[in-house]
Amino acid sequence: MNIGQAAEASGVSAKAIRYYETSGLIAPAGRSEGGYRVYGEADIRTLRFIRRARDLGFSIERIRRLLDL
């Protein structure tokens, strides 16, 4: 799925997804032949986890630690 579909499925904005990718919270997305980002179900689960953690007040660094577990 593309970034718009991933944003809708996860509840995280496309801008936030790009930020999480550049900050290393999620792995860089694969690319289609046209150069568009492509996300899978594992990426959506991770984005939902990040969204819930942010809603609970966790910092980006704390979320990073949790994801590393």
Side-chain angles (χ1 to χ4, degrees):
M1 70 182 65
N2 66 32
I3 195 166
Q5 294 165 327
E8 187 175 325
S10 67
V12 176
S13 71
K15 183 177 179 179
I17 293 172
R18 286 189 289 274
Y19 171 74
Y20 295 152
E21 188 176 323
T22 59
S23 66
L25 280 182
I26 61 172
R31 298 287 179 147
S32 69
E33 287 186 24
Y36 293 101
R37 289 176 169 90
V38 178
Y39 297 92
E41 286 303 315
D43 299 314
I44 301 306
R45 285 191 299 273
T46 302
L47 288 167
R48 287 178 181 153
F49 175 84
I50 293 169
R51 180 184 47 118
R52 286 191 304 265
R54 293 294 289 159
D55 289 346
L56 291 170
F58 284 87
S59 69
I60 296 294
E61 188 54 41
R62 295 263 177 167
I63 296 170
R64 183 184 324 279
R65 291 180 192 166
L66 289 170
L67 290 170
D68 287 343
L69 291 176

